PDB file of all heavy atoms in Angstrom:
ATOM      1  N   LEU L   7       6.978  14.562   5.820  1.00 98.00           N
ATOM      2  CA  LEU L   7       5.999  13.467   5.843  1.00 98.00           C
ATOM      3  C   LEU L   7       5.505  13.247   7.270  1.00 98.00           C
ATOM      4  O   LEU L   7       4.320  12.978   7.496  1.00 98.00           O
ATOM      5  CB  LEU L   7       6.612  12.174   5.286  1.00 98.00           C
ATOM      6  CG  LEU L   7       7.153  12.210   3.852  1.00 98.00           C
ATOM      7  CD1 LEU L   7       7.610  10.813   3.434  1.00 98.00           C
ATOM      8  CD2 LEU L   7       6.110  12.742   2.882  1.00 98.00           C
ATOM      9  N   HIS L   8       6.419  13.381   8.220  1.00 98.00           N
ATOM     10  CA  HIS L   8       6.050  13.241   9.629  1.00 98.00           C
ATOM     11  C   HIS L   8       5.054  14.337  10.021  1.00 98.00           C
ATOM     12  O   HIS L   8       4.054  14.065  10.707  1.00 98.00           O
ATOM     13  CB  HIS L   8       7.300  13.320  10.510  1.00 98.00           C
ATOM     14  CG  HIS L   8       7.028  13.154  11.970  1.00 98.00           C
ATOM     15  ND1 HIS L   8       6.705  11.936  12.544  1.00 98.00           N
ATOM     16  CD2 HIS L   8       6.979  14.067  12.983  1.00 98.00           C
ATOM     17  CE1 HIS L   8       6.499  12.098  13.835  1.00 98.00           C
ATOM     18  NE2 HIS L   8       6.655  13.384  14.126  1.00 98.00           N
ATOM     19  N   GLU L   9       5.296  15.558   9.574  1.00 98.00           N
ATOM     20  CA  GLU L   9       4.373  16.663   9.866  1.00 98.00           C
ATOM     21  C   GLU L   9       2.987  16.383   9.299  1.00 98.00           C
ATOM     22  O   GLU L   9       1.968  16.614   9.968  1.00 98.00           O
ATOM     23  CB  GLU L   9       4.908  17.974   9.279  1.00 98.00           C
ATOM     24  CG  GLU L   9       6.095  18.563  10.019  1.00 98.00           C
ATOM     25  CD  GLU L   9       6.574  19.859   9.365  1.00 98.00           C
ATOM     26  OE1 GLU L   9       5.728  20.624   8.851  1.00 98.00           O
ATOM     27  OE2 GLU L   9       7.799  20.099   9.369  1.00 98.00           O
ATOM     28  N   VAL L  10       2.947  15.893   8.058  1.00 98.00           N
ATOM     29  CA  VAL L  10       1.657  15.569   7.432  1.00 98.00           C
ATOM     30  C   VAL L  10       0.923  14.503   8.238  1.00 98.00           C
ATOM     31  O   VAL L  10      -0.283  14.611   8.488  1.00 98.00           O
ATOM     32  CB  VAL L  10       1.858  15.088   5.975  1.00 98.00           C
ATOM     33  CG1 VAL L  10       0.537  14.619   5.376  1.00 98.00           C
ATOM     34  CG2 VAL L  10       2.450  16.191   5.120  1.00 98.00           C
ATOM     35  N   SER L  11       1.671  13.495   8.662  1.00 98.00           N
ATOM     36  CA  SER L  11       1.039  12.378   9.385  1.00 98.00           C
ATOM     37  C   SER L  11       0.430  12.826  10.704  1.00 98.00           C
ATOM     38  O   SER L  11      -0.497  12.193  11.219  1.00 98.00           O
ATOM     39  CB  SER L  11       2.049  11.250   9.620  1.00 98.00           C
ATOM     40  OG  SER L  11       3.007  11.615  10.607  1.00 98.00           O
ATOM     41  N   LYS L  12       0.941  13.914  11.276  1.00 98.00           N
ATOM     42  CA  LYS L  12       0.389  14.450  12.525  1.00 98.00           C
ATOM     43  C   LYS L  12      -0.851  15.305  12.279  1.00 98.00           C
ATOM     44  O   LYS L  12      -1.667  15.495  13.181  1.00 98.00           O
ATOM     45  CB  LYS L  12       1.449  15.284  13.267  1.00 98.00           C
ATOM     46  CG  LYS L  12       2.639  14.461  13.751  1.00 98.00           C
ATOM     47  CD  LYS L  12       2.210  13.347  14.691  1.00 98.00           C
ATOM     48  CE  LYS L  12       3.372  12.525  15.187  1.00 98.00           C
ATOM     49  NZ  LYS L  12       2.926  11.319  15.931  1.00 98.00           N
ATOM     50  N   LEU L  13      -0.981  15.851  11.067  1.00 98.00           N
ATOM     51  CA  LEU L  13      -2.106  16.723  10.746  1.00 98.00           C
ATOM     52  C   LEU L  13      -3.336  15.967  10.250  1.00 98.00           C
ATOM     53  O   LEU L  13      -4.465  16.431  10.412  1.00 98.00           O
ATOM     54  CB  LEU L  13      -1.679  17.762   9.697  1.00 98.00           C
ATOM     55  CG  LEU L  13      -0.639  18.785  10.183  1.00 98.00           C
ATOM     56  CD1 LEU L  13      -0.075  19.581   9.014  1.00 98.00           C
ATOM     57  CD2 LEU L  13      -1.267  19.730  11.209  1.00 98.00           C
ATOM     58  N   ILE L  14      -3.125  14.812   9.636  1.00 98.00           N
ATOM     59  CA  ILE L  14      -4.245  13.975   9.198  1.00 98.00           C
ATOM     60  C   ILE L  14      -4.688  13.130  10.395  1.00 98.00           C
ATOM     61  O   ILE L  14      -3.872  12.414  10.981  1.00 98.00           O
ATOM     62  CB  ILE L  14      -3.835  13.089   8.007  1.00 98.00           C
ATOM     63  CG1 ILE L  14      -3.463  13.957   6.799  1.00 98.00           C
ATOM     64  CG2 ILE L  14      -4.956  12.124   7.633  1.00 98.00           C
ATOM     65  CD1 ILE L  14      -2.920  13.181   5.617  1.00 98.00           C
ATOM     66  N   PRO L  15      -5.962  13.211  10.777  1.00 96.00           N
ATOM     67  CA  PRO L  15      -6.393  12.585  12.039  1.00 96.00           C
ATOM     68  C   PRO L  15      -6.102  11.090  12.178  1.00 96.00           C
ATOM     69  O   PRO L  15      -5.707  10.635  13.241  1.00 96.00           O
ATOM     70  CB  PRO L  15      -7.908  12.849  12.038  1.00 96.00           C
ATOM     71  CG  PRO L  15      -8.084  14.067  11.187  1.00 96.00           C
ATOM     72  CD  PRO L  15      -7.028  13.984  10.133  1.00 96.00           C
ATOM     73  N   ASN L  16      -6.299  10.321  11.102  1.00 97.00           N
ATOM     74  CA  ASN L  16      -6.166   8.861  11.196  1.00 97.00           C
ATOM     75  C   ASN L  16      -5.095   8.403  10.214  1.00 97.00           C
ATOM     76  O   ASN L  16      -5.388   7.856   9.159  1.00 97.00           O
ATOM     77  CB  ASN L  16      -7.514   8.202  10.895  1.00 97.00           C
ATOM     78  CG  ASN L  16      -7.488   6.699  11.083  1.00 97.00           C
ATOM     79  OD1 ASN L  16      -6.490   6.129  11.513  1.00 97.00           O
ATOM     80  ND2 ASN L  16      -8.583   6.044  10.747  1.00 97.00           N
ATOM     81  N   CYS L  17      -3.837   8.686  10.571  1.00 98.00           N
ATOM     82  CA  CYS L  17      -2.748   8.505   9.608  1.00 98.00           C
ATOM     83  C   CYS L  17      -1.589   7.724  10.213  1.00 98.00           C
ATOM     84  O   CYS L  17      -1.199   7.955  11.361  1.00 98.00           O
ATOM     85  CB  CYS L  17      -2.256   9.866   9.129  1.00 98.00           C
ATOM     86  SG  CYS L  17      -1.006   9.772   7.827  1.00 98.00           S
ATOM     87  N   GLU L  18      -1.050   6.827   9.404  1.00 98.00           N
ATOM     88  CA  GLU L  18       0.129   6.046   9.782  1.00 98.00           C
ATOM     89  C   GLU L  18       1.256   6.382   8.807  1.00 98.00           C
ATOM     90  O   GLU L  18       1.042   6.459   7.594  1.00 98.00           O
ATOM     91  CB  GLU L  18      -0.206   4.547   9.697  1.00 98.00           C
ATOM     92  CG  GLU L  18       0.955   3.616   9.972  1.00 98.00           C
ATOM     93  CD  GLU L  18       0.609   2.148   9.687  1.00 98.00           C
ATOM     94  OE1 GLU L  18      -0.534   1.857   9.301  1.00 98.00           O
ATOM     95  OE2 GLU L  18       1.522   1.318   9.844  1.00 98.00           O
ATOM     96  N   LEU L  19       2.454   6.594   9.344  1.00 98.00           N
ATOM     97  CA  LEU L  19       3.632   6.851   8.512  1.00 98.00           C
ATOM     98  C   LEU L  19       4.584   5.677   8.617  1.00 98.00           C
ATOM     99  O   LEU L  19       4.943   5.254   9.709  1.00 98.00           O
ATOM    100  CB  LEU L  19       4.334   8.138   8.955  1.00 98.00           C
ATOM    101  CG  LEU L  19       5.713   8.430   8.346  1.00 98.00           C
ATOM    102  CD1 LEU L  19       5.623   8.609   6.835  1.00 98.00           C
ATOM    103  CD2 LEU L  19       6.353   9.650   8.994  1.00 98.00           C
ATOM    104  N   VAL L  20       4.978   5.153   7.470  1.00 98.00           N
ATOM    105  CA  VAL L  20       5.935   4.051   7.407  1.00 98.00           C
ATOM    106  C   VAL L  20       7.113   4.501   6.548  1.00 98.00           C
ATOM    107  O   VAL L  20       6.912   5.039   5.453  1.00 98.00           O
ATOM    108  CB  VAL L  20       5.287   2.788   6.783  1.00 98.00           C
ATOM    109  CG1 VAL L  20       6.349   1.741   6.482  1.00 98.00           C
ATOM    110  CG2 VAL L  20       4.219   2.217   7.699  1.00 98.00           C
ATOM    111  N   THR L  21       8.327   4.311   7.022  1.00 98.00           N
ATOM    112  CA  THR L  21       9.517   4.636   6.238  1.00 98.00           C
ATOM    113  C   THR L  21      10.227   3.341   5.852  1.00 98.00           C
ATOM    114  O   THR L  21      10.506   2.508   6.714  1.00 98.00           O
ATOM    115  CB  THR L  21      10.478   5.537   7.033  1.00 98.00           C
ATOM    116  OG1 THR L  21       9.779   6.719   7.432  1.00 98.00           O
ATOM    117  CG2 THR L  21      11.677   5.935   6.190  1.00 98.00           C
ATOM    118  N   ILE L  22      10.483   3.180   4.563  1.00 98.00           N
ATOM    119  CA  ILE L  22      11.232   2.016   4.076  1.00 98.00           C
ATOM    120  C   ILE L  22      12.659   2.497   3.815  1.00 98.00           C
ATOM    121  O   ILE L  22      12.923   3.230   2.853  1.00 98.00           O
ATOM    122  CB  ILE L  22      10.570   1.423   2.815  1.00 98.00           C
ATOM    123  CG1 ILE L  22       9.138   0.963   3.166  1.00 98.00           C
ATOM    124  CG2 ILE L  22      11.387   0.262   2.261  1.00 98.00           C
ATOM    125  CD1 ILE L  22       8.350   0.417   1.996  1.00 98.00           C
ATOM    126  N   ASP L  23      13.560   2.106   4.696  1.00 93.00           N
ATOM    127  CA  ASP L  23      14.896   2.711   4.744  1.00 93.00           C
ATOM    128  C   ASP L  23      15.699   2.516   3.462  1.00 93.00           C
ATOM    129  O   ASP L  23      16.332   3.445   2.980  1.00 93.00           O
ATOM    130  CB  ASP L  23      15.682   2.164   5.943  1.00 93.00           C
ATOM    131  CG  ASP L  23      15.102   2.663   7.266  1.00 93.00           C
ATOM    132  OD1 ASP L  23      14.583   3.802   7.279  1.00 93.00           O
ATOM    133  OD2 ASP L  23      15.156   1.926   8.257  1.00 93.00           O
ATOM    134  N   ASP L  24      15.687   1.315   2.905  1.00 94.00           N
ATOM    135  CA  ASP L  24      16.533   1.057   1.738  1.00 94.00           C
ATOM    136  C   ASP L  24      15.777   1.331   0.434  1.00 94.00           C
ATOM    137  O   ASP L  24      15.777   0.520  -0.483  1.00 94.00           O
ATOM    138  CB  ASP L  24      17.082  -0.373   1.771  1.00 94.00           C
ATOM    139  CG  ASP L  24      15.987  -1.420   1.935  1.00 94.00           C
ATOM    140  OD1 ASP L  24      14.846  -1.044   2.270  1.00 94.00           O
ATOM    141  OD2 ASP L  24      16.282  -2.613   1.734  1.00 94.00           O
ATOM    142  N   ALA L  25      15.127   2.485   0.380  1.00 97.00           N
ATOM    143  CA  ALA L  25      14.404   2.890  -0.824  1.00 97.00           C
ATOM    144  C   ALA L  25      14.515   4.401  -0.964  1.00 97.00           C
ATOM    145  O   ALA L  25      14.587   5.135   0.019  1.00 97.00           O
ATOM    146  CB  ALA L  25      12.934   2.473  -0.747  1.00 97.00           C
ATOM    147  N   GLY L  26      14.510   4.862  -2.224  1.00 98.00           N
ATOM    148  CA  GLY L  26      14.516   6.286  -2.499  1.00 98.00           C
ATOM    149  C   GLY L  26      13.111   6.790  -2.767  1.00 98.00           C
ATOM    150  O   GLY L  26      12.134   6.264  -2.231  1.00 98.00           O
ATOM    151  N   HIS L  27      13.002   7.783  -3.649  1.00 98.00           N
ATOM    152  CA  HIS L  27      11.711   8.415  -3.916  1.00 98.00           C
ATOM    153  C   HIS L  27      10.743   7.445  -4.585  1.00 98.00           C
ATOM    154  O   HIS L  27       9.534   7.497  -4.337  1.00 98.00           O
ATOM    155  CB  HIS L  27      11.932   9.655  -4.788  1.00 98.00           C
ATOM    156  CG  HIS L  27      10.692  10.437  -5.069  1.00 98.00           C
ATOM    157  ND1 HIS L  27       9.825  10.849  -4.073  1.00 98.00           N
ATOM    158  CD2 HIS L  27      10.167  10.898  -6.242  1.00 98.00           C
ATOM    159  CE1 HIS L  27       8.818  11.530  -4.615  1.00 98.00           C
ATOM    160  NE2 HIS L  27       9.012  11.566  -5.926  1.00 98.00           N
ATOM    161  N   PHE L  28      11.262   6.557  -5.437  1.00 98.00           N
ATOM    162  CA  PHE L  28      10.403   5.571  -6.106  1.00 98.00           C
ATOM    163  C   PHE L  28      10.370   4.305  -5.247  1.00 98.00           C
ATOM    164  O   PHE L  28      10.951   3.283  -5.590  1.00 98.00           O
ATOM    165  CB  PHE L  28      10.897   5.298  -7.528  1.00 98.00           C
ATOM    166  CG  PHE L  28      10.607   6.431  -8.466  1.00 98.00           C
ATOM    167  CD1 PHE L  28      11.439   7.540  -8.532  1.00 98.00           C
ATOM    168  CD2 PHE L  28       9.475   6.423  -9.259  1.00 98.00           C
ATOM    169  CE1 PHE L  28      11.164   8.606  -9.376  1.00 98.00           C
ATOM    170  CE2 PHE L  28       9.177   7.476 -10.113  1.00 98.00           C
ATOM    171  CZ  PHE L  28      10.023   8.571 -10.177  1.00 98.00           C
ATOM    172  N   VAL L  29       9.660   4.419  -4.141  1.00 98.00           N
ATOM    173  CA  VAL L  29       9.679   3.349  -3.135  1.00 98.00           C
ATOM    174  C   VAL L  29       9.167   2.045  -3.725  1.00 98.00           C
ATOM    175  O   VAL L  29       9.734   0.970  -3.486  1.00 98.00           O
ATOM    176  CB  VAL L  29       8.837   3.748  -1.895  1.00 98.00           C
ATOM    177  CG1 VAL L  29       9.048   2.743  -0.772  1.00 98.00           C
ATOM    178  CG2 VAL L  29       9.187   5.148  -1.416  1.00 98.00           C
ATOM    179  N   HIS L  30       8.097   2.121  -4.512  1.00 98.00           N
ATOM    180  CA  HIS L  30       7.482   0.879  -5.020  1.00 98.00           C
ATOM    181  C   HIS L  30       8.350   0.190  -6.071  1.00 98.00           C
ATOM    182  O   HIS L  30       8.143  -0.986  -6.356  1.00 98.00           O
ATOM    183  CB  HIS L  30       6.059   1.133  -5.543  1.00 98.00           C
ATOM    184  CG  HIS L  30       5.985   1.961  -6.799  1.00 98.00           C
ATOM    185  ND1 HIS L  30       5.967   3.331  -6.779  1.00 98.00           N
ATOM    186  CD2 HIS L  30       5.901   1.600  -8.102  1.00 98.00           C
ATOM    187  CE1 HIS L  30       5.865   3.786  -8.022  1.00 98.00           C
ATOM    188  NE2 HIS L  30       5.833   2.755  -8.849  1.00 98.00           N
ATOM    189  N   ASP L  31       9.328   0.911  -6.624  1.00 98.00           N
ATOM    190  CA  ASP L  31      10.294   0.281  -7.524  1.00 98.00           C
ATOM    191  C   ASP L  31      11.519  -0.214  -6.754  1.00 98.00           C
ATOM    192  O   ASP L  31      12.034  -1.305  -7.012  1.00 98.00           O
ATOM    193  CB  ASP L  31      10.771   1.272  -8.599  1.00 98.00           C
ATOM    194  CG  ASP L  31       9.700   1.565  -9.628  1.00 98.00           C
ATOM    195  OD1 ASP L  31       8.835   0.701  -9.849  1.00 98.00           O
ATOM    196  OD2 ASP L  31       9.723   2.669 -10.212  1.00 98.00           O
ATOM    197  N   ASP L  32      11.984   0.597  -5.798  1.00 98.00           N
ATOM    198  CA  ASP L  32      13.239   0.304  -5.098  1.00 98.00           C
ATOM    199  C   ASP L  32      13.130  -0.893  -4.160  1.00 98.00           C
ATOM    200  O   ASP L  32      14.093  -1.640  -3.983  1.00 98.00           O
ATOM    201  CB  ASP L  32      13.698   1.529  -4.299  1.00 98.00           C
ATOM    202  CG  ASP L  32      14.067   2.700  -5.202  1.00 98.00           C
ATOM    203  OD1 ASP L  32      14.302   2.471  -6.403  1.00 98.00           O
ATOM    204  OD2 ASP L  32      14.116   3.842  -4.699  1.00 98.00           O
ATOM    205  N   ASN L  33      11.968  -1.048  -3.521  1.00 98.00           N
ATOM    206  CA  ASN L  33      11.775  -2.193  -2.618  1.00 98.00           C
ATOM    207  C   ASN L  33      10.328  -2.646  -2.699  1.00 98.00           C
ATOM    208  O   ASN L  33       9.537  -2.452  -1.774  1.00 98.00           O
ATOM    209  CB  ASN L  33      12.149  -1.823  -1.179  1.00 98.00           C
ATOM    210  CG  ASN L  33      12.352  -3.053  -0.316  1.00 98.00           C
ATOM    211  OD1 ASN L  33      11.755  -4.100  -0.555  1.00 98.00           O
ATOM    212  ND2 ASN L  33      13.198  -2.950   0.701  1.00 98.00           N
ATOM    213  N   ASN L  34       9.999  -3.251  -3.836  1.00 98.00           N
ATOM    214  CA  ASN L  34       8.622  -3.651  -4.117  1.00 98.00           C
ATOM    215  C   ASN L  34       8.049  -4.629  -3.087  1.00 98.00           C
ATOM    216  O   ASN L  34       6.906  -4.450  -2.646  1.00 98.00           O
ATOM    217  CB  ASN L  34       8.539  -4.231  -5.534  1.00 98.00           C
ATOM    218  CG  ASN L  34       7.108  -4.487  -5.970  1.00 98.00           C
ATOM    219  OD1 ASN L  34       6.660  -5.621  -5.980  1.00 98.00           O
ATOM    220  ND2 ASN L  34       6.403  -3.428  -6.329  1.00 98.00           N
ATOM    221  N   PRO L  35       8.809  -5.656  -2.648  1.00 98.00           N
ATOM    222  CA  PRO L  35       8.230  -6.616  -1.699  1.00 98.00           C
ATOM    223  C   PRO L  35       7.822  -5.972  -0.371  1.00 98.00           C
ATOM    224  O   PRO L  35       6.721  -6.236   0.140  1.00 98.00           O
ATOM    225  CB  PRO L  35       9.340  -7.651  -1.504  1.00 98.00           C
ATOM    226  CG  PRO L  35      10.183  -7.550  -2.733  1.00 98.00           C
ATOM    227  CD  PRO L  35      10.150  -6.107  -3.108  1.00 98.00           C
ATOM    228  N   VAL L  36       8.685  -5.143   0.194  1.00 98.00           N
ATOM    229  CA  VAL L  36       8.359  -4.503   1.475  1.00 98.00           C
ATOM    230  C   VAL L  36       7.234  -3.487   1.286  1.00 98.00           C
ATOM    231  O   VAL L  36       6.313  -3.392   2.105  1.00 98.00           O
ATOM    232  CB  VAL L  36       9.611  -3.833   2.100  1.00 98.00           C
ATOM    233  CG1 VAL L  36       9.244  -3.036   3.340  1.00 98.00           C
ATOM    234  CG2 VAL L  36      10.653  -4.895   2.434  1.00 98.00           C
ATOM    235  N   TYR L  37       7.293  -2.737   0.195  1.00 98.00           N
ATOM    236  CA  TYR L  37       6.237  -1.769  -0.120  1.00 98.00           C
ATOM    237  C   TYR L  37       4.875  -2.466  -0.162  1.00 98.00           C
ATOM    238  O   TYR L  37       3.910  -2.021   0.476  1.00 98.00           O
ATOM    239  CB  TYR L  37       6.548  -1.111  -1.460  1.00 98.00           C
ATOM    240  CG  TYR L  37       5.524  -0.114  -1.947  1.00 98.00           C
ATOM    241  CD1 TYR L  37       5.624   1.233  -1.613  1.00 98.00           C
ATOM    242  CD2 TYR L  37       4.462  -0.509  -2.752  1.00 98.00           C
ATOM    243  CE1 TYR L  37       4.694   2.162  -2.073  1.00 98.00           C
ATOM    244  CE2 TYR L  37       3.524   0.406  -3.204  1.00 98.00           C
ATOM    245  CZ  TYR L  37       3.650   1.738  -2.864  1.00 98.00           C
ATOM    246  OH  TYR L  37       2.720   2.642  -3.318  1.00 98.00           O
ATOM    247  N   LEU L  38       4.805  -3.557  -0.916  1.00 98.00           N
ATOM    248  CA  LEU L  38       3.533  -4.270  -1.049  1.00 98.00           C
ATOM    249  C   LEU L  38       3.084  -4.871   0.270  1.00 98.00           C
ATOM    250  O   LEU L  38       1.883  -4.877   0.579  1.00 98.00           O
ATOM    251  CB  LEU L  38       3.653  -5.360  -2.114  1.00 98.00           C
ATOM    252  CG  LEU L  38       3.537  -4.857  -3.553  1.00 98.00           C
ATOM    253  CD1 LEU L  38       3.950  -5.951  -4.544  1.00 98.00           C
ATOM    254  CD2 LEU L  38       2.117  -4.390  -3.846  1.00 98.00           C
ATOM    255  N   ALA L  39       4.016  -5.336   1.065  1.00 98.00           N
ATOM    256  CA  ALA L  39       3.668  -5.889   2.384  1.00 98.00           C
ATOM    257  C   ALA L  39       3.028  -4.821   3.250  1.00 98.00           C
ATOM    258  O   ALA L  39       2.022  -5.069   3.935  1.00 98.00           O
ATOM    259  CB  ALA L  39       4.909  -6.470   3.061  1.00 98.00           C
ATOM    260  N   LYS L  40       3.583  -3.602   3.249  1.00 98.00           N
ATOM    261  CA  LYS L  40       3.037  -2.498   4.057  1.00 98.00           C
ATOM    262  C   LYS L  40       1.648  -2.112   3.564  1.00 98.00           C
ATOM    263  O   LYS L  40       0.725  -1.877   4.352  1.00 98.00           O
ATOM    264  CB  LYS L  40       3.958  -1.274   4.000  1.00 98.00           C
ATOM    265  CG  LYS L  40       5.374  -1.506   4.523  1.00 98.00           C
ATOM    266  CD  LYS L  40       5.401  -1.808   6.009  1.00 98.00           C
ATOM    267  CE  LYS L  40       6.819  -1.898   6.528  1.00 98.00           C
ATOM    268  NZ  LYS L  40       6.888  -2.343   7.945  1.00 98.00           N
ATOM    269  N   VAL L  41       1.498  -2.033   2.233  1.00 98.00           N
ATOM    270  CA  VAL L  41       0.220  -1.647   1.653  1.00 98.00           C
ATOM    271  C   VAL L  41      -0.852  -2.705   1.950  1.00 98.00           C
ATOM    272  O   VAL L  41      -1.979  -2.377   2.344  1.00 98.00           O
ATOM    273  CB  VAL L  41       0.357  -1.418   0.132  1.00 98.00           C
ATOM    274  CG1 VAL L  41      -1.010  -1.292  -0.540  1.00 98.00           C
ATOM    275  CG2 VAL L  41       1.185  -0.165  -0.139  1.00 98.00           C
ATOM    276  N   LYS L  42      -0.488  -3.972   1.790  1.00 98.00           N
ATOM    277  CA  LYS L  42      -1.471  -5.044   2.021  1.00 98.00           C
ATOM    278  C   LYS L  42      -1.896  -5.112   3.497  1.00 98.00           C
ATOM    279  O   LYS L  42      -3.061  -5.357   3.799  1.00 98.00           O
ATOM    280  CB  LYS L  42      -0.887  -6.383   1.555  1.00 98.00           C
ATOM    281  CG  LYS L  42      -0.773  -6.486   0.036  1.00 98.00           C
ATOM    282  CD  LYS L  42      -0.083  -7.758  -0.406  1.00 98.00           C
ATOM    283  CE  LYS L  42      -1.007  -8.962  -0.267  1.00 98.00           C
ATOM    284  NZ  LYS L  42      -0.371 -10.190  -0.839  1.00 98.00           N
ATOM    285  N   THR L  43      -0.952  -4.866   4.390  1.00 98.00           N
ATOM    286  CA  THR L  43      -1.304  -4.825   5.816  1.00 98.00           C
ATOM    287  C   THR L  43      -2.304  -3.697   6.084  1.00 98.00           C
ATOM    288  O   THR L  43      -3.315  -3.892   6.776  1.00 98.00           O
ATOM    289  CB  THR L  43      -0.037  -4.625   6.677  1.00 98.00           C
ATOM    290  OG1 THR L  43       0.823  -5.736   6.480  1.00 98.00           O
ATOM    291  CG2 THR L  43      -0.394  -4.519   8.159  1.00 98.00           C
TER     292      THR L  43
END
């Protein structure tokens, strides 16, 4: 994901530590906060 974020010109990478592959299920409040920002 870090490699991808470096290849896309205008890209931000955010990692939500206490979440697995289904990030929006595992930590919905933090996920939504990042998306809304």
Side-chain angles (χ1 to χ4, degrees):
L7 301 185
H8 181 73
E9 287 180 35
V10 174
S11 72
K12 295 301 180 189
L13 293 168
I14 297 175
N16 185 4
C17 185
E18 176 188 359
L19 170 63
V20 169
T21 303
I22 299 177
D23 291 328
D24 53 347
H27 183 51
F28 287 82
V29 189
H30 69 274
D31 288 333
D32 294 342
N33 197 331
N34 188 256
V36 173
Y37 178 90
L38 280 168
K40 300 294 186 187
V41 168
K42 289 175 75 174
T43 298

